[in-house]
Amino acid sequence: MTEEAGSGTQDIVQRGLYFEEFVVGARYLHRPGRTATEADNVLFTTLTMNTQALHLDAAFAAAQEPFGQRLMNSMWTLSTMVGASVAQLTQGTLVAQLGLGEIAFPHPLFAGDTLYTESVVTDKRLSASRAGQGICTIAHTGRNQDGVVVATASRTVLVRCAGAEER
């Protein structure tokens, strides 16, 4: 959205994409990445009441094969991956998140790794029941700093169409 400011410059407000702006097959690279920390892991894990020793107990995790160290909580990875896409894709245009599916964690993420996220729009259609809104399906992929895929997920969102009145 742009508006003329008094000084002859434009104010540009960051927002997500309206339904018409989503392009099936387009790949969005969300930057910057997010470096995972031990504090992130402990805080997220304890806030969500997950008592898994692989996230919290360094001595226990060190004795476990095949990784021999604490793993980042996979729900932190998923949440951070989806969160990284918000500013570019759905900030201010999202009506509702309809669902997540096809979630996989093919490789662990560790404290000190940096998570980079990319999203591909795989499908879109106008809502049959909600005028001025459309449904988009987005495939998210999270990679570590070495390009190794650490997480994938499909997300379905309901977004506003351009020019649709807010309710």
Side-chain angles (χ1 to χ4, degrees):
M1 168 189 285
T2 63
E3 297 178 20
E4 291 296 325
S7 64
T9 62
Q10 290 184 337
D11 292 334
I12 300 172
V13 178
Q14 181 174 337
R15 64 159 171 84
L17 304 177
Y18 287 105
F19 175 77
E20 295 84 355
E21 296 173 307
F22 280 88
V23 177
V24 174
R27 182 173 64 155
Y28 300 89
L29 304 177
H30 311 299
R31 300 296 183 267
R34 174 66 159 78
T35 300
T37 68
E38 289 185 23
D40 293 328
N41 201 30
V42 171
L43 180 61
F44 187 91
T45 299
T46 56
L47 282 174
T48 58
M49 299 178 66
N50 180 340
T51 60
Q52 177 53 255
L54 286 171
H55 306 311
L56 297 173
D57 186 329
F60 174 84
Q64 304 304 306
E65 293 298 327
F67 304 112
Q69 62 179 305
R70 284 180 288 174
L71 308 176
M72 287 300 293
N73 186 312
S74 59
M75 294 297 102
W76 181 90
T77 304
L78 176 63
S79 297
T80 303
M81 184 173 67
V82 170
S85 74
V86 169
Q88 195 171 15
L89 298 181
T90 61
Q91 180 66 45
T93 57
L94 180 78
V95 176
Q97 177 163 282
L98 301 178
L100 290 165
E102 303 173 27
I103 299 168
F105 303 99
H107 189 275
L109 193 69
F110 302 105
D113 284 347
T114 300
L115 177 65
Y116 292 98
T117 303
E118 60 190 55
S119 302
V120 175
V121 178
T122 59
D123 192 30
K124 72 180 234 182
R125 67 174 176 83
L126 288 170
S127 173
S129 61
R130 298 183 62 99
Q133 298 174 2
I135 297 169
C136 297
T137 303
I138 305 164
H140 299 290
T141 301
R143 300 176 190 275
N144 68 14
Q145 66 281 355
D146 299 320
V148 175
V149 175
V150 297
T152 58
S154 174
R155 183 165 68 124
T156 304
V157 294
L158 183 66
V159 295
R160 291 183 178 84
C161 292
E165 292 183 32
E166 291 192 28
R167 299 172 200 245

